[in-house]
Amino acid sequence: QEAFNQTQTLAGALIAFNLGVEIGQLLFLVGLSALLFIVKRLPKLKLEADFCKTAIATGVVIAGAFWFSERALISGVVL
């Protein structure tokens, strides 16, 4: 009975953690999308908006590649 309760508690904690991470990512995307929408609407900043989109996309790709490789190396998966 005690082992079942520990497993159930662990599963609940993992689900809550993952939902929190997903909600955080969605909030970040909503904020970033709103910022890009505003920058894109400003006529003087058209070139800057294109640069910002490229810079942000590049940053996301670099961060994703770093986190992927870090987790793959930590978990022992050979790339």
Side-chain angles (χ1 to χ4, degrees):
Q1 180 68 19
E2 185 178 326
F4 176 74
N5 287 338
Q6 288 178 346
T7 303
Q8 191 175 16
T9 302
L10 179 61
L14 286 172
I15 290 171
F17 173 78
N18 284 331
L19 285 175
V21 168
E22 295 299 328
I23 289 169
Q25 290 175 345
L26 286 173
L27 288 174
F28 178 78
L29 276 176
V30 167
L32 190 61
S33 296
L35 181 64
L36 286 175
F37 180 78
I38 291 168
V39 169
K40 189 176 179 182
R41 296 288 181 220
L42 298 173
K44 292 181 181 180
L45 298 177
K46 179 63 179 154
L47 290 176
E48 287 85 352
D50 292 338
F51 173 78
C52 286
K53 286 191 284 188
T54 303
I56 290 168
T58 303
V60 169
V61 168
I62 290 170
F66 172 76
W67 289 329
F68 172 77
S69 62
E70 182 181 47
R71 289 183 178 137
L73 293 173
I74 288 173
S75 67
V77 175
V78 179
L79 296 176

